Amino acid sequence: MHFDYVMAIGSFLVAVVVGLTGMGGGALMTPMLVTFFGVPPLAAVSSDLVAAAVMKPVGGFVHLRRGTVDLRLVGWLCAGSVPAAFCGVLVARALGTGEDVQGVIQAALGVALLIAAAGLAVRGYLAMRDRAEERTPATGRRTAVPGEPAATGLPTVTVRRLPTVLVGVVGGLVVGMTSVGSGSLIIVALLALYPALKANQLVGTDLVQAVPLVMSAALGHVLFGDFQLSVTAALLAGSVPGVYLGSRISSRAPGGLVRRILAFVLLASALKMFGVGNTATVWVLIGVLLAAPAVWALLRIRHGLPAIPRRRAHLPVRNDSPETPKMGHETSGSAAN
């Protein structure tokens, strides 16, 4: 079996980003295999999913121990996602063979990447609105408080069974066909359905439900896809230490900056999946770099925030001091979002 050391290094770098952000595994790994290593799209999806099936249980176990998993939501999500993920492989195969199916998978992957990038933008917008409206966990904050430690108690939420199952079905189909969605698409849908859940609880619930989801999709690809052991071995060799390193430094990394970079990479990957030329891709990315800050500044002004976040020095203040800053005011920590 040929072992590709360069591919292992690439998977290590991608896994570091995954460890930092909790998102982007399939959304970055599969395009990397297709674009830089020339792996056929179906083989890239198959091998990435098998590698993910080995790694997902580790992260899920950590969140279970922290108490950041709503097992009711996990059950209803899996009711839709597990069979749909297996069927996603069959759908991909039914669409054609050879170059036909590779083209379909590549186009579907491009759409999924665009949705994932949009999901990151939505999360950032909700975090900005929370700060503008001075929302706290008690008043229905939709995103985590910057710098907040892992929660140990889950809020009481009413499970919306049918919408949750439908999210699982759609997410499972997308994951089965493209390997993208278990950490990028489903978590955004959960954010919309259950705004009372904190960010780490969303991640924990999504990660645990992704274990059977990814295993189902991986089984389908082993049986009916284009699984390549050499590609999977290289992915695991690089991604296992990469995820560990990314997780270790995640508490010190500027999360907002990492998410912006991830969204930018997702957009670039999607353009390549759609067959956009290098020159056109560069011009599109330059346009986004120029327009995004201006649009974001206008949104901040519209919600009563300064166009540019004010960074304040973080000074230790006694809990009973009247100078204790309010939850909604921007500090150096919240500006990172």
Side-chain angles (χ1 to χ4, degrees):
M1 180 184 70
H2 172 69
F3 185 84
D4 194 327
Y5 291 93
V6 178
M7 185 181 295
I9 294 173
S11 67
F12 171 82
L13 297 176
V14 170
V16 170
V17 176
V18 175
L20 285 169
T21 64
M23 300 179 69
L28 294 179
M29 199 77 77
T30 304
M32 179 196 73
L33 294 175
V34 175
T35 304
F36 295 105
F37 296 98
V39 178
L42 184 58
V45 171
S46 299
S47 302
D48 180 40
L49 278 171
V50 174
V54 177
M55 298 181 58
K56 288 286 186 181
V58 178
F61 178 72
V62 172
H63 278 277
L64 280 171
R65 291 190 61 183
R66 290 180 176 178
T68 55
V69 179
D70 192 317
L71 293 177
R72 298 172 303 158
L73 298 182
V74 169
W76 286 106
L77 283 170
C78 289
S81 65
V82 172
F86 190 87
C87 292
V89 186
L90 302 180
V91 170
R93 273 301 189 188
L95 292 174
T97 58
E99 294 184 1
D100 293 335
V101 70
Q102 304 297 347
V104 170
I105 296 299
Q106 189 163 323
L109 180 58
V111 173
L113 291 171
L114 287 178
I115 296 175
L120 285 171
V122 170
R123 290 180 67 190
Y125 175 72
L126 291 177
M128 182 266 290
R129 285 192 59 181
D130 283 341
R131 293 195 296 274
E133 299 170 7
E134 299 190 0
R135 288 176 176 264
T136 67
T139 59
R141 187 178 177 91
R142 290 157 293 198
T143 56
V145 177
E148 184 181 65
T152 55
L154 288 168
T156 302
V157 296
T158 301
V159 178
R160 303 171 64 183
R161 297 179 181 179
L162 181 58
T164 304
V165 172
L166 290 177
V167 167
V169 170
V170 174
L173 281 173
V174 174
V175 171
M177 293 182 65
T178 69
S179 83
V180 178
S182 62
S184 302
L185 308 180
I186 294 180
I187 195 171
V188 176
L190 285 176
L191 178 63
L193 285 176
Y194 302 102
L197 291 177
K198 297 179 181 178
N200 59 332
Q201 295 161 350
L202 287 167
V203 172
T205 300
D206 174 69
L207 189 57
V208 171
Q209 71 84 29
V211 173
L213 162 60
V214 170
M215 287 184 174
S216 174
L219 176 62
H221 277 276
V222 168
L223 296 176
F224 306 108
D226 190 13
F227 167 67
Q228 296 184 9
L229 181 59
S230 60
V231 175
T232 301
L235 294 182
L236 286 174
S239 57
V240 170
V243 167
Y244 176 78
L245 177 62
S247 300
R248 293 281 295 178
I249 64 177
S250 61
S251 60
R252 299 183 179 181
L257 176 61
V258 173
R259 284 193 293 272
R260 292 184 183 96
I261 294 174
L262 178 57
F264 188 77
V265 173
L266 291 176
L267 175 60
S269 300
L271 294 175
K272 297 304 295 182
M273 292 300 102
F274 288 128
V276 178
N278 292 334
T279 302
T281 298
V282 170
W283 281 111
V284 170
L285 295 179
I286 290 175
V288 171
L289 281 176
L290 295 176
V295 172
W296 192 253
L298 290 175
L299 288 174
R300 290 178 59 86
I301 294 173
R302 180 181 178 184
H303 289 285
L305 295 173
I308 300 176
R310 294 192 299 266
R311 296 183 178 273
R312 303 175 183 174
H314 181 72
L315 299 176
V317 182
R318 292 178 53 188
N319 291 335
D320 57 349
S321 172
E323 286 81 20
T324 301
K326 293 182 180 181
M327 184 72 71
H329 288 181
E330 290 188 291
T331 64
S332 57
S334 62
N337 284 341

